[in-house]
Amino acid sequence: MHYLDANATEPLRPEARTAMLAAWDVVGNPSSVHAAGRAARRVVEDAREAIAGRFGCRPGDTVFVSGGTEADALAVHALGQGRRLLIGATEHDAIRAAAPSALTVPVLASGVLDLDALATMLADGPPASVCLMLANNETGTIQPVAEAAAICRAHGALLHVDAVQAAGRMAVDFSRSGADSMAISSHKLGGPIGVGALLLTPELSAVAPLIRGGGQERGRRGGTSPVAAIAGFAAAASVAGDCSSLAVWRDAAERAAVGCGAVVVGGDGLRLANTTCLALPGARADTQVIALDLDGIAVSAGAACSSGKVAASHVLAAMGLGALAGQAIRVSLPWNAVAADVDAFATAYARMADRLLRPLDSRAA
Ligand code: PLP
């Protein structure tokens, strides 16, 4: 199998596996006061320091949660207090579901946030908070977070950045981003599934919990800390640098697909080097995914949902793609991709395009 669905989840990095194996031998509950508890606590606090240092936050302002979805929900909860919410049109469902009555800031055809619209919407009304992703999960489009942060600052608005797809794939420095909070997820950077972090400014650090319980995470998130997962998260984060070396293979995959009639969505803008969104006019996205899967290639439809159903992508619709929004697949190269993955993809894609687009009697043998 050629796994080209890293934006769904990255393969586990060996460093994360090693760190987790060691942490599983630590017996205590990190909240216990005895020596065993303190040993577990040490693992968690070392990991917190590593994650905080890696992404430019103070350890005390770094809150461990269950993943990107919870980090986004906690951020919306924190930043939404007494403020109206504005979210980018291509935000992940983690944000859309957490802020169902938010106003939507449109994107340009490139998928990049319309900064003029943001400024106008912020100028027009009471204090606001804005949610903007750093890199899009479907297209890889990188948003102008620094510019958006400056606009937010000028209008007294707070900014939450969803860096779930960006962290570990491009430079991410919370302290210099101008953001007030930032979501990170372990499994998108080669750590285990089930843990993530919300980075906060000192002003927001005392966020009220969404999940109450035993007062863990300094009262900001109840629940016994998953010691091994946190250790694996930190180990993965410390080795996940950026994915720029994958650009050559991403480009090779695109050339092969374009040669078969595909259109690269958002291809002109700044993108994550591991991600391409390929629309094949006339071929349904789910049919493409199944055809490629039968050939041993794992990719996603534009909007793969957790339930396995495929809906027309709100991201691609917001970019004005019309019917093409239901005809796009996402190819996202994992950190351990090899040339053979892209070669196999190119062969399978050509076969798939031939099957789906050519009339039966004119197909290649
Ligand atoms: N934000 C973005 C941009 C994502 O791509 C995802 C997951 O795909 C999430 C948030 C949710 O992260 P998690 O799977 O860790 O809950």
Side-chain angles (χ1 to χ4, degrees):
M1 198 251 282
H2 298 276
Y3 184 76
L4 304 180
D5 200 13
N7 291 10
T9 193
E10 285 277 5
L12 191 70
R13 291 179 184 268
E15 295 84 354
R17 182 190 306 275
T18 304
M20 283 193 287
L21 286 173
W24 268 314
D25 285 332
V26 179
V27 177
N29 181 320
S31 299
S32 299
V33 293
H34 48 60
R38 291 199 306 277
R41 179 73 175 223
R42 191 67 264 144
V43 174
V44 171
E45 295 313 318
D46 285 351
R48 193 187 311 278
E49 273 179 30
I51 298 275
R54 173 72 182 75
F55 296 115
C57 187
R58 298 195 317 181
D61 302 335
T62 302
V63 185
F64 285 128
V65 293
S66 65
T69 302
E70 191 184 329
D72 281 337
L74 186 55
V76 167
H77 172 66
L79 273 66
Q81 302 292 328
R83 291 171 173 262
R84 65 197 169 106
L85 283 165
L86 273 60
I87 67 172
T90 60
E91 294 307 299
H92 190 270
D93 280 344
I95 289 290
R96 286 158 38 101
S101 49
L103 297 173
T104 302
V105 185
V107 295
L108 307 171
S110 59
V112 170
L113 194 78
D114 183 338
L115 293 171
D116 293 336
L118 174 66
T120 306
M121 291 170 80
L122 286 178
D124 187 19
S129 289
V130 176
C131 298
L132 178 62
M133 63 202 336
L134 182 45
N136 185 269
N137 47 303
E138 293 183 32
T139 59
T141 298
I142 294 170
Q143 295 291 353
V145 163
E147 288 89 330
I151 293 169
C152 286
R153 218 170 16 256
H155 291 89
L158 299 176
L159 175 64
H160 168 63
V161 171
D162 177 342
V164 164
Q165 293 291 347
R169 299 202 179 116
M170 58 181 277
V172 172
D173 186 342
F174 175 59
S175 66
R176 301 168 71 125
S177 67
D180 298 279
S181 63
M182 181 176 277
I184 312 271
S185 177
S186 160
H187 73 109
K188 307 290 189 182
L189 49 75
I193 293 173
V195 63
L198 181 65
L199 315 181
L200 294 159
T201 55
E203 293 72 32
L204 289 174
S205 188
V207 56
L210 266 185
I211 298 176
R212 296 171 191 280
Q216 290 90 347
E217 295 295 311
R218 297 194 187 172
R220 296 170 294 190
R221 203 280 186 181
T224 301
S225 309
V227 180
I230 287 173
F233 177 20
S238 59
V239 292
D242 78 88
C243 66
S244 53
S245 62
L246 297 174
V248 265
W249 291 337
R250 191 265 319 265
D251 295 348
E254 283 181 352
R255 276 195 301 278
V258 168
C260 300
V263 178
V264 179
V265 179
D268 294 335
L270 217 51
R271 285 181 299 159
L272 286 176
N274 79 318
T275 307
T276 182
C277 180
L278 300 166
L280 188 60
R284 281 177 50 153
D286 50 355
T287 313
Q288 295 181 54
V289 170
I290 292 165
L292 289 170
D293 186 35
L294 289 173
D295 251 351
I297 310 287
V299 298
S300 291
C305 303
S306 54
S307 60
K309 71 178 192 294
V310 178
S313 159
H314 74 273
V315 173
L316 306 186
M319 293 167 71
L321 257 71
L324 271 188
Q327 299 170 349
I329 60 164
R330 172 186 72 191
V331 178
S332 51
L333 300 169
W335 61 268
N336 59 355
V338 294
D341 293 325
V342 178
D343 293 345
F345 170 78
T347 306
Y349 195 93
R351 201 167 18 230
M352 183 253 319
D354 188 55
R355 269 195 218 125
L356 299 185
L357 300 182
R358 314 266 177 278
L360 256 180
D361 53 1
S362 67
R363 276 187 206 161

